């Protein structure tokens, strides 16, 4: 059963990668939602990436066989900690120079947190529709109150305290990519995964957006790291990972997919390894307790701040399924669908209506129309290495005067969607994203005999589950963001597989070459 699950995960994720690369290489000219613009085609970027990988592997092979270079004697862990400190400093500096206030949900939550801190009313309808954002809302309120108590930032810049937390969690996520990858492969390849993490999300401008994406980044990678790390009391790792994963669900549902994969794979392993059954059941119990504790906690805070939510106005899963099937919006957010769902008084009426509209859309699209919708959603999801940066409504809502630094205009020209260097930023991030996808696919060459086959299976199943989740419901490239650290871990495994294959090929080629004759003259 374990081997079957491993093979099935490999097959289905391989199918996902096959579809992704076909779409990204040959169908990017098709119309799809939230299309990002790049200076070079994906084919050109991927070929350039493959050339760099071959060059890197060739130099590494040359160093092993022909030359006498020695690797640095400094501890790799010490080096990583130093780099993380530099990264955090760079994140703070970049954020300080490009900070702005955005619109959409992120801006609305920030505005409501400010209103509540000043004892003003909040948007009851929004939180009734989207109660899943309550935990983040109270987190932001708590950080604002801490900022006011310690007088760190002024009222006009109080969001910078949340941004500082975002930068700290982002840096920790990069560190955990290295720590987790080092459990699965050699530290050299773990460092490569860390390098990709820094270039992908470590220096991402999403740090300045006070929303669930930046905060949620830490949860999947921390859940995995806690679960796989060696521990004297292994049951404690199960409990802690269950708590972290469940808290992640209340920040971003996509953060919970990893924990579902853990339960599925652990359940399969428990069929033949009975000692895993008790900690697995304990983990499930922990999830239930944490779930109800968070519900009770947010309910108490709502009561404390006199926020009277209407539970009948909550948007259920059927609403997002219906929106994901909207052919006009191609599966992304639809204001018209939101208005339609809000027109119903009770949750049961809304759910029935959403299901009816969803079925009607499926019938109208037909089989091939549905395939087209799914292909367009895949392009929206995977063909954007910036993860839909600048693609939300009223994105640059309030742009502040540049700080008194020479760097601010330069950094804004890179990160602002209307900046003169913005296309260089999007193209570079797309290049890094394609490398992560390529190496993630290379990770599939791992065999069932791999020392950490179970962990790889969990990661593969998570990637499959995340893709299916986005294809079923409302889609955004941004919804991949919280799980990118996991993808970087798989990329580290992938580079090891590629290097092993490369060494095997070069050894065979060198063995076939005729030995060089040496003539000795008297």
């Amino acid at each position: 059963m374990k081997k079957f699950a491993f093979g099935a995960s490999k097959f289905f994720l391989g199918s996902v990668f096959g579809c992704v690369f076909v779409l990204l290489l040959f169908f990017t000219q098709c119309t799809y939602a939230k299309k990002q613009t790049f200076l070079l085609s994906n084919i050109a970027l991927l070929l350039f990436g493959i050339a760099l990988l071959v060059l890197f592997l060739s130099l590494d092979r040359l160093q092993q066989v022909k030359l006498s270079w020695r690797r640095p004697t400094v501890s790799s862990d010490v080096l990583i900690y130093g780099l993380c400190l530099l990264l955090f400093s760079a994140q703070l500096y970049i954020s300080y120079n490009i900070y702005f206030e955005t619109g959409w949900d992120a801006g609305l939550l920030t505005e409501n947190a400010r209103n509540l801190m000043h004892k003003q009313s909040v948007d009851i309808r929004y939180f009734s529709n989207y109660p899943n954002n309550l935990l983040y809302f109270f987190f932001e309120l708590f950080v604002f109150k801490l900022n006011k108590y310690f007088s760190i930032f002024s009222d006009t810049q109080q969001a910078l305290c949340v941004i500082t937390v975002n930068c700290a969690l982002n840096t920790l996520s990069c560190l955990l990519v290295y720590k987790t990858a080092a459990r699965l492969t050699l530290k050299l390849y773990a460092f490569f995964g860390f390098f990709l993490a820094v270039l992908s999300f470590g220096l991402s401008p999403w740090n300045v957006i006070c929303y669930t994406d930046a905060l949620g980044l830490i949860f999947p990678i921390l859940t995995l790291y806690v679960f796989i790390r060696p521990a004297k009391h292994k049951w404690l790792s199960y409990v802690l990972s269950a708590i972290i994963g469940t808290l992640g669900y209340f920040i971003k549902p996509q953060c919970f997919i990893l924990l579902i994969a853990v339960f599925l794979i652990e359940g399969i392993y428990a069929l033949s390894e009975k000692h895993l059954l008790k900690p697995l059941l304990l983990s499930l119990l922990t999830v239930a307790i944490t779930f109800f504790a968070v519900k009770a906690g947010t309910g108490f805070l709502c009561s404390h701040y006199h926020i009277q939510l209407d539970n009948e106005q909550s948007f259920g899963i059927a609403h997002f399924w219906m929106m994901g099937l909207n052919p006009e919006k191609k599966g992304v957010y639809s204001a018209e669908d939101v208005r339609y769902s809000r027109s119903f008084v009770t949750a049961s009426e809304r759910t029935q209506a959403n299901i009816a509209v969803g079925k009607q859309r499926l019938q109208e699209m037909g089989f091939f129309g549905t395939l087209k919708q799914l292909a367009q959603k895949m392009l929206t999801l995977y063909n954007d290495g910036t993860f839909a940066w600048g693609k939300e409504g009223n994105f640059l809502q309030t742009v502040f005067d540049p700080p008194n630094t020479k760097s601010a205009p330069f950094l804004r020209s890179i990160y602002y969607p209307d900046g003169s260097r913005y296309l260089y930023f999007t193209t570079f991030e797309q290049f890094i994203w394609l490398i992560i996808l390529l190496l993630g696919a290379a990770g599939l060459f791992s065999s069932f005999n791999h020392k950490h086959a179970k962990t790889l299976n969990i990661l593969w199943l998570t990637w499959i589950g995340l893709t299916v989740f986005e294809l079923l419901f409302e889609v955004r490239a941004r919804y991949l963001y919280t799980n990118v650290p996991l993808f970087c871990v798989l990329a580290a495994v992938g580079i090891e597989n590629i290097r092993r294959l490369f060494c095997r090929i070069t050894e065979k080629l060198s063995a076939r070459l005729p030995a060089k004759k040496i003539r000795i003259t008297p």
Side-chain angles (χ1 to χ4, degrees), residues 36-104:
Q36 194 69 266
T37 305
F38 312 110
L39 291 173
L40 297 172
S41 68
N42 286 336
I43 294 177
L45 292 174
L46 200 58
L47 289 174
F48 181 64
I50 292 172
L52 282 182
L53 283 174
V54 171
L55 177 63
F56 166 77
L57 293 170
S58 300
L59 290 175
D60 182 66
R61 183 66 175 160
L62 183 66
Q63 180 265 330
Q64 278 189 325
V65 178
K66 296 290 184 183
L67 304 179
S68 58
W69 300 343
R70 291 184 178 180
R71 300 190 189 279
T73 56
V74 64
S75 167
S76 57
D77 291 345
V78 172
L79 178 63
I80 289 293
Y81 291 135
L83 290 174
C84 284
L85 188 60
L86 288 175
L87 174 62
F88 181 60
S89 302
Q91 288 173 344
L92 290 178
Y93 186 76
I94 292 171
S95 299
Y96 175 70
N97 282 281
I98 71 170
Y99 162 63
F100 60 91
E101 291 195 354
T102 190
W104 52 290

Side-chain angles (χ1 to χ4, degrees), residues 514-520:
K516 188 175 182 181
K517 296 181 179 179
I518 301 176
R519 295 181 63 185
I520 301 176

Side-chain angles (χ1 to χ4, degrees), residues 314-436:
S314 175
F315 287 170
I317 196 170
H319 163 79
F320 299 99
W321 176 68
M322 175 190 74
M323 197 151 52
L325 290 170
N326 190 322
E328 294 180 2
K329 293 295 183 179
K330 298 177 176 57
V332 299
Y333 175 85
S334 168
E336 182 181 347
D337 283 349
V338 170
R339 285 192 294 269
Y340 176 75
S341 292
R342 280 177 173 167
S343 67
F344 297 94
V345 178
T346 66
S348 60
E349 291 176 347
R350 182 178 305 106
T351 299
Q352 291 175 7
N354 291 155
I355 292 174
V357 172
K359 288 181 177 179
Q360 180 183 352
R361 286 174 176 174
L362 282 172
Q363 290 176 352
E364 291 175 352
M365 287 189 294
F367 178 75
F368 292 105
T370 302
L371 285 182
K372 179 182 177 182
Q373 177 85 348
L374 293 176
Q376 290 172 326
K377 291 177 75 172
M378 284 283 273
L379 284 167
T380 298
L381 184 64
Y382 279 104
N383 195 36
D384 190 350
T386 71
F387 306 105
W389 176 254
K391 295 300 180 180
E392 301 293 347
N394 200 12
F395 196 73
L396 298 174
Q397 180 172 273
T398 304
V399 177
F400 300 99
D401 293 333
N404 189 23
T405 67
K406 294 181 180 179
S407 303
F410 175 74
L411 290 171
R412 293 184 178 200
S413 72
I414 295 173
Y415 288 117
Y416 281 16
D418 56 355
S420 59
R421 299 175 178 87
Y422 181 69
L423 283 179
Y424 294 103
F425 161 69
T426 60
T427 304
F428 178 76
E429 289 301 317
Q430 182 72 354
F431 168 70
I432 298 299
W433 176 233
L434 289 172
I435 294 296
I436 292 173

